[in-house]
Amino acid sequence: MKHVDFAGRLVMLGFGSIGQGVLPLILRHIGITADRITIVTAEERGQEVAAEYGVRFIIEAATRENYRDLLSPLLTKGDFLLNLSVDVASVALMKLCQELDCLYLDTVVEPWAGGYTDTSLTPSQRSNYSMREEAVALRAAFQGGPTSVTAHGANPGLVSHFVKQALLDVARDTGRTVTVPAPADRTGWATLARDLGVKVIHIAERDTQVSLTPKRPGEFVNTWSVDGFVGEGSQPAELGWGSHEKALPPDGHRHGFGCDAAIYLMRPGASTRVRSWTPLEGPMHGFLITHNESISIADYYTLRDQAGAVTYRPTAHYAYHPCDDAVLSIHELAGKNWEMQPEKRLMTDEIVHGMDELGVLLMGHAKGAYWYGSRLTIEEARRVVPHNNATSLQVTAAVLAGVIYAMENPRLGVVESDEIDHERALAICAPYLGDVVGAYSDWTPLLDRGRLFPEDVDTSDPWQFKNFRVV
């Protein structure tokens, strides 16, 4: 079904796994013809997919020097720039779209090439926190202008809608729906989370997809962008820092500017592990990879007193167990001191089985822990839409929802995922998420701890970050 008609042109910048996967969804659900879509990308990969749908395909990399000259002739008032690229600064593109009066969406706030690992910058300056602050600082100047949806893929993006639905589920199951209706604004949502006793929110993901061709030495294998994963994995580990936390980690630092909702650790996220839980995997160790949603969720669910002091905020972060070949790839990458392997391979058609179990884990409330999210198998992903695997489809469905939201609400300026109507977004995504389920658990990060060796844990509060971190 068509969700919205769009009279303008759509320019897609970047055409990797997400671009190729979202194109059929756009043509299926948005009233736009292929002749009004243009793809601009740095490499030939995906050219045959564009040809399959009759979409114009331009091979030229967008750089700091040429992006205006490259994109401006392709865009005019009322058009849409869908940014699915890497190594192109999102804020620069957002500013260009405001000048041209065009709609905009990206799945992550990207820097220019090299920004993730530029050692002339401090760890704070090359963090997602810093990049998000730069994007949301545009709010005042963009107010009433064309909508720019920032950081709306699966995570960040879809998971923010999962959080809201999970909060409503916990409220229902703890008998609070009589006194706490669905909140109408940011303060209402944060108040609900506080009143429910939510202390920690994990984006808890386990990818079990398996390739017919195992990872080889000297090769980085992943089910989504290799460059994207290595880039964010090389950034400092970051997490939203909750008001219940007793002390900063020994290697933890505040940023000293902005909303102050998050901290960073003096180590790469791809070398930092945390304990988490998903219904099918059970207890697991995931990587604390920095993501925009770790900061935006913590910020969105912050409550302050009249003096501005924080009275409530949950700890929020990613706990990611990628597919097993990607784990081996990260292990090899770390052993080479974060120098990328000479070969890269994106797992697509060679995947033989497995699923991506992606959701949010809310902890500390009266029922302990509650996971809510998507279980999408490779077989289901291939059945419902071409050019996707289980991981990419969770992203592309959310990209579709964000694009539709911007088209339906074209004059909102800068919009983050947490501010979007979660019911509308989930309704658009639902046909492409496989089984969407909620599951309660009595799991805590203290389960079975100290069985083999004594450990330094805080038994008085299982939800302290020191109990989650793997040392």
Side-chain angles (χ1 to χ4, degrees), residues 182-230:
D185 56 22
R186 175 177 180 165
T187 300
W189 284 107
T191 300
L192 175 59
R194 178 200 64 189
D195 291 350
L196 290 173
V198 174
K199 291 184 176 181
V200 180
I201 300 173
H202 281 185
I203 291 79
E205 179 178 5
R206 176 61 165 115
D207 184 347
T208 63
Q209 292 171 97
V210 175
S211 170
L212 182 65
T213 305
K215 176 198 160 357
R216 298 181 293 268
E219 179 185 47
F220 198 110
V221 179
N222 197 22
T223 55
W224 57 282
S225 171
V226 171
D227 292 325
F229 189 18
V230 173

Side-chain angles (χ1 to χ4, degrees), residues 407-446:
M407 291 176 175
E408 292 177 335
N409 302 273
R411 307 302 297 182
L412 297 180
V414 176
V415 177
E416 289 194 284
S417 303
D418 310 279
E419 300 165 319
I420 289 175
D421 179 353
H422 80 285
E423 291 183 344
R424 175 65 170 149
L426 290 177
I428 293 169
C429 294
Y432 302 109
L433 299 180
D435 294 329
V436 177
V437 300
Y440 287 100
S441 175
D442 60 1
W443 177 85
T444 82
L446 297 179

